[in-house]
Amino acid sequence: MSSEPKPGLPFLPGCSFRDPMKTSFHRSQTLGYKNGFAFSRLPTVGIGGERLYVNQPSQAELDELSNTGPTLTYGQAKKAPPSGFIPAHVAFDKKVLKFDAYFQEDVPLSTEEHYRIRQVGIYYYLEDDTISVIEPVVKNSGIPQGKLIRRHRVPKNDHGDHYHWKDLNRGINITMYGRTYRIVDCDPFTQVFLESQGIEVNPPEKMVFDPYTELRRMPMRMYITPSDFDQLKQFLTYDKQVLRFYAMWDDTNSMFGENRPYIIHYYLADDTVEVREVHKPNDGRDPFPVLIKRQRLPKTFVDKKKTFPSCVLEISDEEVLEWYTAKDFAVGKPTTLLGRTFFIYDCDEFTRNFYRDKFGITDFQPVEIKKKPPEEVPQVIPPYNGYGFLEDSLQNCYSLFPKPPRKDVIKMLENDHKVLRYQVALESPNPVDAKRRFILSYFLSNDMISIYEPPVRNSGIIGGKYLGKTRVAKPGSTTENAVYYGPSDLTIGSTIEVFGHRFVITDADEYVLNYMESNAESFPATTLQSMRDHFHPRQVVEETAKSDVPAPGTSKQEELDELIARVQEELKLHNYLNYSNIREALLRCDKDETGFLDKAKFLSVCDSVKVPTSAVLVNKLIDLCSCGDDKINYRDFLRAFPS
């Protein structure tokens, strides 16, 4: 029967114009490719392969096309177009090369495995030359697995090259991001593709498995023969029966250690041991009664490697070869429990009866514990640090709350307001310090010393207090044996050292000599004699100056010459005077060069250059050089200051 429709016939029920032998009813393809690009076209065949005359050219059109010369109508005949171009994303769409590989990973912190083998799958996508590495997830592995390297172009080297499918083969190592993978096999599609591209595929290798994982999959069966010891019978027999031992732990070898008493309880029901502390009132320890809680204590361990981390594992029957039992405790013997050695010196009456009936032991003589006397630690006094007095610093070494040293009140009352004053010079290599003079005051009431520097105008040095009142120790004094400077050490010409500075005593007050003579029994004879020798020339000059009556047969000029000689002897004691400055100051004031100056102006110039006008001899020389009441012949006065 023809499947072609018959026009004019009604489509009535029971009338069918279809071919009952037809089995294909698919639609024809309307998508085509031209020059590598997809385009739609009109169907020429209908459903079931029936020819569609609507989209077919007519016979007239076919005759016209066959009779038309292509050269005259369209010009030169064109060559047939090349075969259609198919882009890579279309040609290699969903085409992936799959390789089976593994890599080795070190395991440094485990004693059961030293390395780990991890199996991965390397996928190469031909569509865009990307690679991804995926590790199959193993349940309960404890390792983050899955996608190790996401899909992207993997760099091959530092020159900007990337891995290509030509670089992949079986039986080679490939390094990606510092991790080396060993390719052992590939799937059939990958093998066919590589061989079609002219690549010789290496023979496959066996996949390496993780030894620790294989060990976990097939656990070793261990058969333990149950013991014939009846623990229930032991519990029912010895329930609530406890052995009590009195022990001592000697911890005197450690810092702040001592002998500490303990009580050891051994429970016969389950062979457990408990160690309790013995507390006393005000013993200064925390109230924790139990040192070792009730438990089975190991006596001998199984021989293990030194690297076995036993400190972080619970002790089980597999690690212990022998446990402590009642026969391991005896009076008069030491016992080591968890690293501490306890000496058992006594036990109670129930323990004696148990050992007598069970083991036949009758010797329970208690041991007398003698406490070791504490070792005397010598007290070491640290060196003086320079702050405060030596006595104050020493009190800090004797007590946590130091007490001030006792003061001699009688001495303070007897010598109140008694001060010995000396003139000292600074001994220094600096030439600027050579002309500096200081006043050293020694306070007899508390043996303290203060130093004052008189200010000198235009000297460039600020005067004032140089050293406050303090006690000065002699060089070489220690904290235990402190020796301070006293009046007997302060003699003319002697040198004292004050906190690293050396001073030379050049002069003293007359009160110092008077005090030493009145208390001659308290001073050495050499000290008193040196002070007398220093003041003797001055006393002779003063006595002579007090006698206003000149010697008979002497004129005023002879008297002036004799007085000038005495003044020169007196001025030798004043080392700070600069004769040239005195002459220049007086000559500068006499602008007319008359040789005379007003008395008030003369005295002011003498004060500015530190001339001791208050001295008796100098005052008498000024009187001899006076011409009337208001004039002074300063040329005669300068004869006492030779250039």
Side-chain angles (χ1 to χ4, degrees), residues 65 68-77:
L65 290 175
T68 304
T71 304
L72 299 177
T73 305
Y74 301 102
Q76 187 68 26

Side-chain angles (χ1 to χ4, degrees), residues 545-607:
K546 289 180 181 178
S547 59
D548 296 334
V549 180
T554 59
S555 61
K556 183 178 180 180
Q557 186 66 30
E558 293 178 353
E559 183 182 358
L560 181 61
D561 295 340
E562 184 179 357
L563 183 59
I564 288 174
R566 294 177 182 177
V567 170
Q568 288 180 355
E569 292 292 333
E570 171 70 16
L571 293 179
K572 288 182 180 180
L573 302 175
H574 303 277
N575 298 329
Y576 62 90
L577 292 177
N578 193 339
Y579 294 171
S580 60
N581 292 342
I582 297 174
R583 301 178 67 87
E584 291 178 1
L586 294 175
L587 292 174
R588 193 182 304 111
C589 293
D590 187 13
K591 297 181 180 180
D592 299 334
E593 297 182 358
T594 59
F596 297 93
L597 288 175
D598 294 338
K599 190 172 183 179
K601 191 173 183 180
F602 173 80
L603 294 177
S604 63
V605 171
C606 291
D607 292 339

Side-chain angles (χ1 to χ4, degrees), residues 502-532:
R502 297 172 61 86
F503 294 89
V504 180
I505 300 177
T506 59
D507 199 358
D509 285 347
E510 292 185 3
Y511 177 77
V512 177
L513 179 61
N514 298 334
Y515 177 79
M516 288 185 177
E517 289 179 347
S518 60
N519 300 275
E521 67 278 359
S522 302
F523 297 94
T526 55
T527 303
L528 183 59
Q529 187 62 34
S530 65
M531 196 63 65
R532 288 173 179 173

Side-chain angles (χ1 to χ4, degrees), residues 332-352:
K333 293 182 180 180
T335 303
T336 302
L337 305 178
L338 298 182
R340 296 192 182 190
T341 301
F342 297 90
F343 181 76
I344 301 175
Y345 62 90
D346 200 0
C347 61
D348 60 356
E349 188 63 28
F350 173 78
T351 306
R352 294 190 183 95

Side-chain angles (χ1 to χ4, degrees), residues 88-99 121-135 146-154 162-166 168 176 187 189-190 193-194:
H89 66 276
V90 176
F92 299 112
D93 186 23
K94 299 181 181 179
K95 293 183 179 181
V96 183
L97 305 182
K98 196 260 184 180
F99 297 91
I122 301 176
Y123 296 89
Y124 186 92
Y125 300 86
L126 297 172
E127 178 183 355
D128 51 1
D129 297 330
T130 56
I131 298 177
S132 67
V133 179
I134 300 176
E135 181 182 8
K147 186 181 292 186
L148 301 182
I149 299 177
R150 63 179 179 84
R151 179 180 173 180
H152 68 290
R153 298 187 68 189
V154 179
H162 297 82
Y163 278 108
H164 195 259
W165 53 265
K166 298 179 182 180
L168 304 178
M176 291 182 289
D187 59 357
F189 172 77
T190 304
F193 177 80
L194 295 177

